Coordinates of all heavy atoms in Angstrom, one line a residue:
M1286 N 42.7 112.3 -77.3 CA 43.7 112.7 -76.2 C 45.1 112.1 -76.5 O 46.0 112.8 -76.3 CB 43.2 112.2 -74.9 CG 41.9 112.8 -74.4 SD 42.0 114.5 -73.9 CE 42.6 114.3 -72.3
I1287 N 45.1 110.9 -77.0 CA 46.4 110.3 -77.4 C 47.1 111.0 -78.5 O 48.3 111.3 -78.4 CB 46.2 108.8 -77.7 CG1 45.8 108.0 -76.4 CG2 47.5 108.2 -78.3 CD1 45.4 106.6 -76.7
D1288 N 46.3 111.4 -79.5 CA 46.9 112.2 -80.6 C 47.4 113.5 -80.1 O 48.5 113.9 -80.5 CB 45.8 112.4 -81.7 CG 46.4 113.1 -82.9 OD1 47.4 112.6 -83.4 OD2 45.8 114.0 -83.4
L1289 N 46.7 114.2 -79.2 CA 47.1 115.4 -78.7 C 48.5 115.3 -77.9 O 49.4 116.1 -78.0 CB 46.1 116.0 -77.7 CG 46.0 117.5 -77.5 CD1 45.7 118.2 -78.8 CD2 44.9 117.8 -76.5
A1290 N 48.6 114.2 -77.1 CA 49.8 113.9 -76.4 C 51.0 113.7 -77.3 O 52.1 114.3 -77.1 CB 49.6 112.7 -75.5
Y1291 N 50.8 112.9 -78.4 CA 51.9 112.7 -79.4 C 52.3 114.1 -80.0 O 53.5 114.3 -80.2 CB 51.5 111.7 -80.4 CG 51.7 110.3 -80.0 CD1 50.6 109.4 -80.0 CD2 52.9 109.8 -79.6 CE1 50.8 108.1 -79.7 CE2 53.1 108.5 -79.3 CZ 52.0 107.6 -79.3 OH 52.2 106.3 -78.9
R1292 N 51.3 114.9 -80.4 CA 51.6 116.2 -81.0 C 52.4 117.1 -80.1 O 53.0 118.1 -80.6 CB 50.3 116.8 -81.5 CG 49.8 116.1 -82.8 CD 48.7 116.9 -83.4 NE 47.5 116.8 -82.5 CZ 46.4 117.4 -82.8 NH1 46.2 118.2 -83.8 NH2 45.3 117.3 -82.0
S1293 N 52.3 116.9 -78.8 CA 53.1 117.8 -77.9 C 54.6 117.7 -78.1 O 55.3 118.6 -77.8 CB 52.8 117.4 -76.5 OG 53.4 116.2 -76.1
G1294 N 55.0 116.5 -78.7 CA 56.4 116.3 -78.9 C 57.2 115.8 -77.7 O 58.4 115.5 -77.7
E1295 N 56.5 115.6 -76.6 CA 57.1 115.2 -75.3 C 56.9 113.7 -75.1 O 57.5 113.1 -74.2 CB 56.5 116.0 -74.2 CG 56.8 117.5 -74.2 CD 58.2 117.8 -74.2 OE1 58.9 117.2 -73.3 OE2 58.7 118.7 -74.9
I1296 N 56.0 113.1 -75.8 CA 55.6 111.7 -75.6 C 56.2 110.8 -76.7 O 56.0 111.0 -77.8 CB 54.0 111.5 -75.5 CG1 53.4 112.4 -74.5 CG2 53.6 110.1 -75.3 CD1 53.8 112.2 -73.1
S1297 N 56.9 109.7 -76.3 CA 57.4 108.8 -77.3 C 56.5 107.6 -77.5 O 56.4 107.0 -78.5 CB 58.8 108.3 -76.9 OG 58.7 107.5 -75.7
S1298 N 55.7 107.2 -76.4 CA 54.7 106.1 -76.6 C 53.7 106.3 -75.5 O 53.9 106.8 -74.4 CB 55.3 104.8 -76.5 OG 55.8 104.5 -75.2
I1299 N 52.5 105.8 -75.9 CA 51.3 105.9 -74.9 C 50.4 104.7 -75.3 O 50.2 104.4 -76.4 CB 50.6 107.2 -75.0 CG1 49.6 107.4 -73.8 CG2 50.0 107.5 -76.3 CD1 49.1 108.8 -73.7
Q1300 N 49.8 104.1 -74.2 CA 48.8 103.1 -74.5 C 47.8 103.1 -73.3 O 48.1 103.4 -72.2 CB 49.5 101.7 -74.6 CG 50.3 101.2 -73.4 CD 50.8 99.8 -73.6 OE1 50.0 98.9 -73.7 NE2 52.1 99.7 -73.6
A1301 N 46.6 102.7 -73.7 CA 45.5 102.5 -72.7 C 45.0 101.1 -72.7 O 44.9 100.5 -73.8 CB 44.4 103.5 -73.0
Q1302 N 44.6 100.6 -71.6 CA 44.2 99.2 -71.5 C 43.0 99.1 -70.5 O 42.8 99.9 -69.6 CB 45.3 98.3 -70.9 CG 46.5 98.3 -71.8 CD 46.3 97.5 -73.1 OE1 45.5 96.6 -73.2 NE2 47.1 97.9 -74.1
T1303 N 42.2 98.1 -70.7 CA 41.1 97.7 -69.9 C 41.5 96.5 -69.1 O 42.1 95.5 -69.6 CB 39.8 97.4 -70.7 OG1 39.5 98.5 -71.5 CG2 38.7 97.0 -69.8
V1304 N 41.2 96.5 -67.8 CA 41.5 95.4 -66.9 C 40.1 94.7 -66.5 O 39.2 95.4 -66.1 CB 42.2 95.8 -65.6 CG1 42.4 94.6 -64.7 CG2 43.5 96.6 -65.9
F1305 N 40.1 93.4 -66.7 CA 38.8 92.7 -66.3 C 39.0 92.0 -65.0 O 40.1 91.7 -64.5 CB 38.5 91.7 -67.5 CG 38.2 92.4 -68.8 CD1 39.3 92.7 -69.7 CD2 36.9 92.8 -69.1 CE1 39.0 93.4 -70.8 CE2 36.7 93.5 -70.2 CZ 37.7 93.8 -71.1
E1306 N 37.9 91.6 -64.4 CA 37.9 91.1 -63.0 C 38.7 89.9 -62.8 O 39.2 89.7 -61.7 CB 36.4 90.9 -62.5 CG 35.6 89.9 -63.3 CD 34.1 90.0 -62.9 OE1 33.8 90.5 -61.9 OE2 33.3 89.4 -63.7
N1307 N 38.9 89.0 -63.8 CA 39.7 87.8 -63.6 C 41.2 88.0 -64.1 O 41.9 87.0 -64.0 CB 39.0 86.6 -64.3 CG 37.7 86.3 -63.7 OD1 37.5 86.4 -62.5 ND2 36.7 85.9 -64.5
D1308 N 41.6 89.1 -64.5 CA 43.0 89.4 -64.8 C 43.8 89.5 -63.5 O 43.2 89.8 -62.5 CB 43.1 90.8 -65.6 CG 42.5 90.7 -67.0 OD1 42.1 89.7 -67.4 OD2 42.4 91.8 -67.6
D1309 N 45.1 89.3 -63.6 CA 46.0 89.5 -62.5 C 46.4 91.0 -62.7 O 47.2 91.3 -63.6 CB 47.2 88.6 -62.6 CG 48.2 88.8 -61.5 OD1 47.9 89.5 -60.5 OD2 49.3 88.2 -61.6
F1310 N 46.0 91.8 -61.7 CA 46.3 93.3 -61.9 C 46.7 93.8 -60.5 O 45.9 93.7 -59.5 CB 45.1 94.0 -62.4 CG 45.3 95.5 -62.6 CD1 46.2 96.0 -63.5 CD2 44.6 96.4 -61.9 CE1 46.4 97.3 -63.7 CE2 44.7 97.8 -62.1 CZ 45.6 98.2 -63.0
K1311 N 47.8 94.5 -60.4 CA 48.3 95.1 -59.2 C 49.0 96.4 -59.6 O 49.7 96.5 -60.6 CB 49.3 94.2 -58.5 CG 48.7 92.9 -58.0 CD 49.8 92.0 -57.3 CE 49.2 90.8 -56.8 NZ 49.0 89.7 -57.7
F1312 N 48.8 97.4 -58.7 CA 49.5 98.7 -58.9 C 49.7 99.3 -57.6 O 49.0 99.0 -56.6 CB 48.7 99.6 -59.9 CG 47.4 100.1 -59.4 CD1 47.4 101.4 -58.8 CD2 46.3 99.4 -59.5 CE1 46.2 101.9 -58.3 CE2 45.0 99.9 -59.1 CZ 45.0 101.1 -58.4
E1313 N 50.7 100.2 -57.5 CA 50.9 101.0 -56.4 C 51.6 102.3 -56.8 O 52.4 102.3 -57.7 CB 51.8 100.2 -55.3 CG 53.2 99.8 -55.7 CD 53.9 99.0 -54.7 OE1 53.5 97.9 -54.4 OE2 54.8 99.6 -54.1
F1314 N 51.3 103.3 -56.0 CA 51.9 104.6 -56.3 C 52.9 104.9 -55.2 O 53.2 104.0 -54.4 CB 50.8 105.7 -56.3 CG 49.7 105.5 -57.3 CD1 48.4 105.2 -57.0 CD2 50.1 105.7 -58.7 CE1 47.5 105.1 -58.0 CE2 49.1 105.6 -59.7 CZ 47.8 105.2 -59.4
G1315 N 53.5 106.0 -55.2 CA 54.5 106.4 -54.2 C 55.8 106.7 -54.9 O 55.9 107.0 -56.1
L1316 N 56.9 106.5 -54.1 CA 58.2 106.9 -54.6 C 58.7 105.8 -55.6 O 59.6 106.2 -56.4 CB 59.2 107.0 -53.4 CG 59.0 108.1 -52.5 CD1 60.0 108.1 -51.3 CD2 59.0 109.5 -53.2
D1317 N 58.2 104.6 -55.6 CA 58.6 103.6 -56.5 C 57.3 103.0 -57.1 O 56.9 101.8 -56.8 CB 59.4 102.5 -55.8 CG 60.0 101.5 -56.7 OD1 60.1 101.8 -57.9 OD2 60.3 100.4 -56.3
P1318 N 56.6 103.7 -58.0 CA 55.4 103.2 -58.5 C 55.5 102.0 -59.4 O 56.5 101.8 -60.0 CB 54.8 104.4 -59.4 CG 56.0 105.3 -59.6 CD 57.0 105.0 -58.6
K1319 N 54.5 101.1 -59.3 CA 54.6 99.8 -60.0 C 53.2 99.5 -60.6 O 52.2 99.8 -60.0 CB 55.0 98.7 -59.1 CG 56.4 98.8 -58.5 CD 56.7 97.7 -57.6 CE 58.1 97.9 -57.1 NZ 58.4 97.6 -55.8
L1320 N 53.2 98.8 -61.8 CA 52.0 98.4 -62.4 C 52.3 97.0 -63.0 O 53.3 96.9 -63.7 CB 51.5 99.4 -63.4 CG 50.1 99.1 -64.0 CD1 49.4 100.4 -64.2 CD2 50.3 98.4 -65.3
R1321 N 51.4 96.1 -62.8 CA 51.5 94.7 -63.4 C 50.1 94.3 -63.8 O 49.2 94.3 -63.1 CB 52.1 93.7 -62.4 CG 52.1 92.3 -62.8 CD 52.6 91.4 -61.8 NE 52.3 90.0 -61.9 CZ 52.8 89.1 -62.7 NH1 53.8 89.5 -63.5 NH2 52.4 87.9 -62.8
H1322 N 50.0 93.9 -65.1 CA 48.8 93.5 -65.6 C 49.0 92.2 -66.5 O 49.7 92.3 -67.5 CB 48.1 94.6 -66.5 CG 46.8 94.2 -67.1 ND1 46.3 94.8 -68.2 CD2 45.9 93.2 -66.8 CE1 45.1 94.3 -68.5 NE2 44.9 93.3 -67.7
V1323 N 48.5 91.1 -66.1 CA 48.5 89.9 -66.9 C 47.1 89.5 -67.2 O 46.3 89.1 -66.3 CB 49.2 88.7 -66.1 CG1 49.3 87.5 -66.9 CG2 50.6 89.2 -65.7
P1324 N 46.7 89.6 -68.4 CA 45.3 89.3 -68.8 C 45.0 87.8 -68.6 O 45.8 87.0 -68.8 CB 45.2 89.7 -70.3 CG 46.3 90.7 -70.5 CD 47.4 90.2 -69.5
A1325 N 43.8 87.5 -68.1 CA 43.3 86.1 -68.0 C 43.2 85.5 -69.4 O 43.0 86.2 -70.3 CB 42.0 86.1 -67.3
K1326 N 43.5 84.2 -69.5 CA 43.5 83.6 -70.8 C 42.1 83.4 -71.3 O 41.9 83.3 -72.5 CB 44.2 82.2 -70.7 CG 45.7 82.4 -70.5 CD 46.4 81.1 -70.5 CE 47.9 81.4 -70.2 NZ 48.7 80.1 -70.2
E1327 N 41.1 83.3 -70.4 CA 39.7 83.1 -70.8 C 38.8 83.5 -69.7 O 39.3 83.8 -68.6 CB 39.4 81.6 -71.2 CG 39.8 80.6 -70.1 CD 39.6 79.2 -70.5 OE1 40.5 78.7 -71.3 OE2 38.7 78.6 -70.0
N1328 N 37.6 83.7 -70.0 CA 36.6 84.1 -69.0 C 37.1 85.3 -68.2 O 37.2 85.2 -67.0 CB 36.2 82.9 -68.1 CG 35.7 81.7 -68.8 OD1 34.9 81.9 -69.8 ND2 36.1 80.5 -68.4
R1329 N 37.4 86.4 -68.8 CA 38.0 87.5 -68.2 C 37.0 88.3 -67.3 O 37.4 89.0 -66.4 CB 38.6 88.5 -69.2 CG 39.8 87.8 -69.9 CD 40.4 88.7 -70.9 NE 41.2 89.7 -70.2 CZ 41.6 90.8 -70.9 NH1 41.5 90.9 -72.2 NH2 42.2 91.7 -70.2
G1330 N 35.7 88.1 -67.5 CA 34.7 88.8 -66.6 C 34.5 90.2 -67.1 O 34.7 90.6 -68.2
E1331 N 34.0 91.0 -66.2 CA 33.6 92.4 -66.4 C 34.8 93.3 -66.3 O 35.7 93.1 -65.6 CB 32.5 92.8 -65.4 CG 31.2 92.1 -65.5 CD 30.4 92.3 -66.8 OE1 30.4 93.5 -67.3 OE2 29.9 91.4 -67.4
A1332 N 34.7 94.5 -67.0 CA 35.7 95.5 -66.9 C 35.6 96.1 -65.5 O 34.6 96.4 -65.0 CB 35.5 96.6 -67.9
V1333 N 36.8 96.2 -64.8 CA 36.8 96.8 -63.5 C 37.8 98.0 -63.3 O 37.6 98.8 -62.4 CB 37.1 95.7 -62.4 CG1 36.0 94.8 -62.3 CG2 38.4 95.0 -62.7
W1334 N 38.8 98.0 -64.1 CA 39.8 99.1 -64.1 C 40.2 99.5 -65.5 O 40.1 98.7 -66.4 CB 41.1 98.7 -63.4 CG 41.0 98.3 -62.0 CD1 40.9 97.0 -61.5 CD2 41.1 99.2 -60.9 NE1 40.8 97.1 -60.1 CE2 41.0 98.4 -59.7 CE3 41.2 100.5 -60.7 CZ2 41.0 98.9 -58.4 CZ3 41.3 101.1 -59.4 CH2 41.1 100.3 -58.3
Y1335 N 40.7 100.7 -65.7 CA 41.3 101.2 -66.9 C 42.6 101.9 -66.5 O 42.7 102.5 -65.4 CB 40.3 102.3 -67.6 CG 39.0 101.7 -67.9 CD1 37.9 102.0 -67.0 CD2 38.7 101.0 -69.0 CE1 36.6 101.5 -67.3 CE2 37.5 100.5 -69.3 CZ 36.4 100.7 -68.4 OH 35.2 100.2 -68.7
Y1336 N 43.6 101.8 -67.4 CA 44.8 102.5 -67.1 C 45.5 103.0 -68.4 O 45.2 102.4 -69.5 CB 45.8 101.7 -66.3 CG 46.3 100.4 -67.0 CD1 47.6 100.5 -67.6 CD2 45.7 99.2 -66.9 CE1 48.1 99.4 -68.3 CE2 46.2 98.1 -67.5 CZ 47.4 98.2 -68.2 OH 48.0 97.1 -68.8
A1337 N 46.3 103.9 -68.3 CA 47.1 104.4 -69.4 C 48.6 104.6 -68.9 O 48.8 104.9 -67.8 CB 46.6 105.8 -69.9
I1338 N 49.5 104.2 -69.8 CA 50.9 104.3 -69.5 C 51.5 105.1 -70.6 O 51.2 105.0 -71.8 CB 51.6 102.9 -69.6 CG1 51.0 101.9 -68.6 CG2 53.1 103.0 -69.4 CD1 51.4 100.5 -68.8
F1339 N 52.5 106.0 -70.2 CA 53.2 106.8 -71.3 C 54.6 106.9 -70.9 O 55.1 106.8 -69.8 CB 52.5 108.1 -71.5 CG 52.7 109.1 -70.3 CD1 53.8 109.9 -70.2 CD2 51.7 109.2 -69.3 CE1 54.0 110.8 -69.2 CE2 51.9 110.1 -68.3 CZ 53.0 110.9 -68.2
K1340 N 55.4 107.0 -72.0 CA 56.9 107.3 -71.9 C 57.1 108.6 -72.6 O 56.6 108.9 -73.6 CB 57.7 106.2 -72.7 CG 57.6 104.8 -72.0 CD 58.4 103.8 -72.8 CE 58.3 102.4 -72.2 NZ 59.1 101.5 -72.9
T1341 N 58.0 109.4 -71.9 CA 58.4 110.7 -72.5 C 59.6 110.5 -73.3 O 60.3 109.5 -73.2 CB 58.6 111.7 -71.4 OG1 59.7 111.2 -70.6 CG2 57.4 111.9 -70.5
V1342 N 59.9 111.5 -74.2 CA 61.0 111.4 -75.1 C 62.3 111.4 -74.3 O 63.3 110.9 -74.8 CB 61.0 112.6 -76.1 CG1 59.9 112.4 -77.1 CG2 61.0 113.9 -75.4
N1343 N 62.3 111.9 -73.0 CA 63.6 111.9 -72.3 C 63.7 110.7 -71.3 O 64.5 110.7 -70.5 CB 63.7 113.2 -71.5 CG 62.7 113.4 -70.4 OD1 61.8 112.5 -70.2 ND2 62.7 114.5 -69.7
G1344 N 62.8 109.7 -71.5 CA 62.9 108.5 -70.8 C 62.1 108.3 -69.6 O 62.1 107.2 -68.9
G1345 N 61.3 109.3 -69.2 CA 60.4 109.2 -68.1 C 59.2 108.2 -68.4 O 58.8 108.1 -69.6
V1346 N 58.7 107.6 -67.4 CA 57.6 106.7 -67.5 C 56.6 107.0 -66.4 O 56.9 107.2 -65.3 CB 58.0 105.2 -67.4 CG1 56.8 104.3 -67.5 CG2 59.0 104.9 -68.5
A1347 N 55.3 107.0 -66.8 CA 54.2 107.2 -65.8 C 53.0 106.5 -66.2 O 52.8 106.1 -67.3 CB 54.0 108.7 -65.6
F1348 N 52.0 106.3 -65.2 CA 50.8 105.7 -65.5 C 49.7 106.3 -64.7 O 49.9 107.0 -63.6 CB 50.8 104.2 -65.3 CG 51.1 103.7 -63.9 CD1 50.1 103.6 -63.0 CD2 52.4 103.5 -63.5 CE1 50.3 103.2 -61.7 CE2 52.7 103.0 -62.2 CZ 51.6 102.9 -61.3
E1349 N 48.5 106.2 -65.1 CA 47.3 106.6 -64.4 C 46.3 105.5 -64.4 O 46.1 104.8 -65.5 CB 46.7 107.8 -65.1 CG 45.5 108.4 -64.3 CD 45.8 108.9 -62.9 OE1 46.9 109.5 -62.8 OE2 45.0 108.6 -62.0
V1350 N 45.6 105.2 -63.3 CA 44.7 104.1 -63.2 C 43.3 104.7 -62.7 O 43.3 105.6 -61.9 CB 45.2 103.1 -62.1 CG1 44.1 102.0 -61.9 CG2 46.5 102.5 -62.5
M1351 N 42.2 104.2 -63.3 CA 40.9 104.6 -62.9 C 40.0 103.4 -62.7 O 40.1 102.5 -63.6 CB 40.2 105.5 -63.9 CG 40.8 106.9 -64.1 SD 40.0 107.9 -65.3 CE 38.8 108.7 -64.2
S1352 N 39.2 103.4 -61.7 CA 38.2 102.3 -61.5 C 37.1 102.5 -62.5 O 37.0 103.6 -63.1 CB 37.6 102.3 -60.1 OG 36.8 103.5 -59.9
R1353 N 36.4 101.5 -62.8 CA 35.2 101.7 -63.7 C 34.3 102.8 -63.3 O 33.8 103.6 -64.1 CB 34.5 100.3 -63.8 CG 33.3 100.4 -64.8 CD 32.6 99.0 -64.8 NE 31.4 99.2 -65.6 CZ 31.1 98.4 -66.6 NH1 31.8 97.3 -66.9 NH2 30.0 98.6 -67.3
E1354 N 34.0 102.8 -62.0 CA 33.1 103.8 -61.4 C 33.7 105.2 -61.6 O 32.9 106.1 -62.0 CB 32.9 103.5 -59.9 CG 32.1 102.2 -59.7 CD 33.0 101.0 -59.7 OE1 34.2 101.1 -59.7 OE2 32.4 99.9 -59.8
D1355 N 35.0 105.4 -61.3 CA 35.6 106.7 -61.5 C 35.6 107.1 -63.0 O 35.4 108.3 -63.3 CB 37.0 106.7 -61.0 CG 37.1 106.7 -59.5 OD1 36.1 107.0 -58.8 OD2 38.2 106.4 -59.0
A1356 N 35.8 106.1 -63.9 CA 35.8 106.4 -65.3 C 34.4 106.8 -65.8 O 34.2 107.8 -66.6 CB 36.3 105.2 -66.1
Q1357 N 33.4 106.2 -65.3 CA 32.0 106.5 -65.6 C 31.6 107.9 -65.1 O 31.0 108.7 -65.8 CB 31.0 105.5 -65.1 CG 31.1 104.2 -65.8 CD 30.2 103.1 -65.2 OE1 30.1 103.0 -64.0 NE2 29.8 102.2 -66.0
A1358 N 32.1 108.2 -63.9 CA 31.8 109.5 -63.3 C 32.5 110.6 -64.1 O 31.9 111.7 -64.4 CB 32.2 109.6 -61.8
H1359 N 33.7 110.4 -64.5 CA 34.5 111.3 -65.3 C 33.8 111.5 -66.7 O 33.7 112.7 -67.1 CB 35.9 110.8 -65.5 CG 36.8 111.7 -66.3 ND1 37.4 112.8 -65.8 CD2 37.1 111.7 -67.6 CE1 38.1 113.4 -66.7 NE2 37.9 112.8 -67.9
A1360 N 33.4 110.5 -67.3 CA 32.7 110.6 -68.6 C 31.4 111.3 -68.5 O 31.1 112.2 -69.3 CB 32.4 109.2 -69.2
K1361 N 30.7 111.1 -67.4 CA 29.4 111.8 -67.2 C 29.6 113.3 -67.0 O 28.9 114.1 -67.5 CB 28.7 111.2 -66.0 CG 27.3 111.7 -65.8 CD 26.6 111.0 -64.6 CE 25.2 111.5 -64.4 NZ 24.5 110.8 -63.3
R1362 N 30.7 113.6 -66.3 CA 31.0 115.1 -66.1 C 31.6 115.8 -67.3 O 31.3 116.9 -67.5 CB 32.1 115.1 -65.0 CG 31.6 115.7 -63.7 CD 32.7 115.9 -62.6 NE 33.9 115.2 -62.7 CZ 34.1 114.0 -62.1 NH1 33.2 113.4 -61.4 NH2 35.3 113.5 -62.3
H1363 N 32.4 115.1 -68.1 CA 33.2 115.8 -69.1 C 32.8 115.4 -70.6 O 33.4 116.0 -71.5 CB 34.7 115.5 -68.9 CG 35.1 116.0 -67.6 ND1 35.3 117.3 -67.3 CD2 35.5 115.4 -66.4 CE1 35.7 117.5 -66.1 NE2 35.8 116.3 -65.5
S1364 N 32.0 114.4 -70.8 CA 31.7 114.0 -72.2 C 30.4 114.4 -72.6 O 29.4 114.1 -72.0 CB 31.8 112.4 -72.3 OG 31.4 112.0 -73.6
K1365 N 30.3 115.1 -73.7 CA 29.0 115.6 -74.3 C 28.2 114.4 -74.8 O 27.0 114.5 -74.9 CB 29.2 116.6 -75.3 CG 29.8 117.9 -74.8 CD 30.1 118.9 -75.9 CE 30.7 120.2 -75.2 NZ 31.1 121.1 -76.2
S1366 N 28.9 113.3 -75.2 CA 28.2 112.2 -75.8 C 27.9 111.1 -74.8 O 27.3 110.1 -75.2 CB 29.0 111.6 -77.0 OG 30.2 111.1 -76.6
Y1367 N 28.3 111.2 -73.5 CA 28.1 110.2 -72.5 C 26.6 109.9 -72.4 O 25.8 110.8 -72.3 CB 28.7 110.6 -71.2 CG 28.5 109.5 -70.1 CD1 29.3 108.4 -70.1 CD2 27.4 109.6 -69.2 CE1 29.1 107.4 -69.1 CE2 27.2 108.6 -68.3 CZ 28.1 107.5 -68.3 OH 27.9 106.5 -67.3
G1368 N 26.2 108.6 -72.5 CA 24.8 108.2 -72.3 C 24.1 108.3 -73.6 O 22.9 108.0 -73.6
A1369 N 24.7 108.7 -74.7 CA 24.0 108.8 -76.0 C 24.0 107.5 -76.8 O 23.6 107.5 -77.9 CB 24.7 109.9 -76.8
G1370 N 24.6 106.5 -76.2 CA 24.6 105.2 -76.9 C 25.7 104.9 -77.9 O 25.7 104.0 -78.7
Y1371 N 26.8 105.8 -77.8 CA 27.9 105.6 -78.7 C 29.0 104.6 -78.2 O 29.8 104.2 -79.0 CB 28.6 107.0 -79.0 CG 27.7 108.0 -79.6 CD1 27.4 109.2 -79.0 CD2 27.1 107.7 -80.9 CE1 26.6 110.1 -79.6 CE2 26.3 108.6 -81.5 CZ 26.0 109.8 -80.9 OH 25.2 110.7 -81.5
G1372 N 28.9 104.2 -77.0 CA 29.9 103.3 -76.4 C 29.5 103.1 -75.0 O 28.6 103.7 -74.5
S1373 N 30.3 102.3 -74.3 CA 30.0 102.0 -72.9 C 31.3 101.8 -72.2 O 32.3 101.3 -72.7 CB 29.0 100.9 -72.7 OG 29.6 99.7 -73.3
L1374 N 31.2 102.0 -70.9 CA 32.4 101.8 -70.0 C 32.1 100.6 -69.2 O 31.0 100.3 -68.8 CB 32.7 103.0 -69.1 CG 33.2 104.2 -69.9 CD1 33.4 105.4 -68.9 CD2 34.5 104.0 -70.5

C-alpha cells in the first residue's frame, strides 16, 4: 500500500507506527487534527493502536488511526492471508 501511494506521485512521505499500551499517545480529529506519540523507554506492553501519517507533495498532512481490534477486523475482512500464520496484529 505504501509503494502504491508513492507511485501515485501525490505523496512525499508516509510512515506507519504501532502504539503500545505504555506509550504516551493522544490524537484528535476535527478542524485542527493532532497526533502525539512518545514511545515508552521500556516495558512498552501490548500493541493497542496503529497509525499512518502522510505528507502530500503540495504540503498537506493527514493521518489515520486504528485500534488493534479495528485493525484485526479489517485484516479479517480484506486479507486473504489473515489467520494463515504469516504475521500477527
Side-chain angles (χ1 to χ4, degrees):
M1286 296 288 278
I1287 291 173
D1288 186 49
L1289 207 64
Y1291 278 123
R1292 284 190 290 179
S1293 75
E1295 299 296 318
I1296 304 297
S1297 65
S1298 71
I1299 189 168
Q1300 61 175 294
Q1302 299 290 332
T1303 301
V1304 179
F1305 296 90
E1306 60 190 345
N1307 294 325
D1308 292 352
D1309 179 12
F1310 182 65
K1311 295 178 177 83
F1312 68 95
E1313 62 183 71
F1314 297 113
L1316 295 176
D1317 188 20
K1319 296 178 179 144
L1320 186 141
R1321 174 181 158 81
H1322 179 202
V1323 179
K1326 292 182 180 181
E1327 56 186 70
N1328 303 321
R1329 293 181 70 192
E1331 297 291 319
V1333 290
W1334 296 96
Y1335 303 97
Y1336 68 93
I1338 302 171
F1339 68 88
K1340 292 182 183 181
T1341 62
V1342 293
N1343 66 2
V1346 177
F1348 63 87
E1349 184 62 43
V1350 178
M1351 292 181 93
S1352 68
R1353 180 182 174 132
E1354 295 79 16
D1355 286 345
Q1357 288 173 329
H1359 180 83
K1361 187 175 182 180
R1362 249 187 338 269
H1363 299 287
S1364 173
K1365 293 178 183 175
S1366 63
Y1367 180 78
Y1371 296 120
S1373 62
L1374 292 176

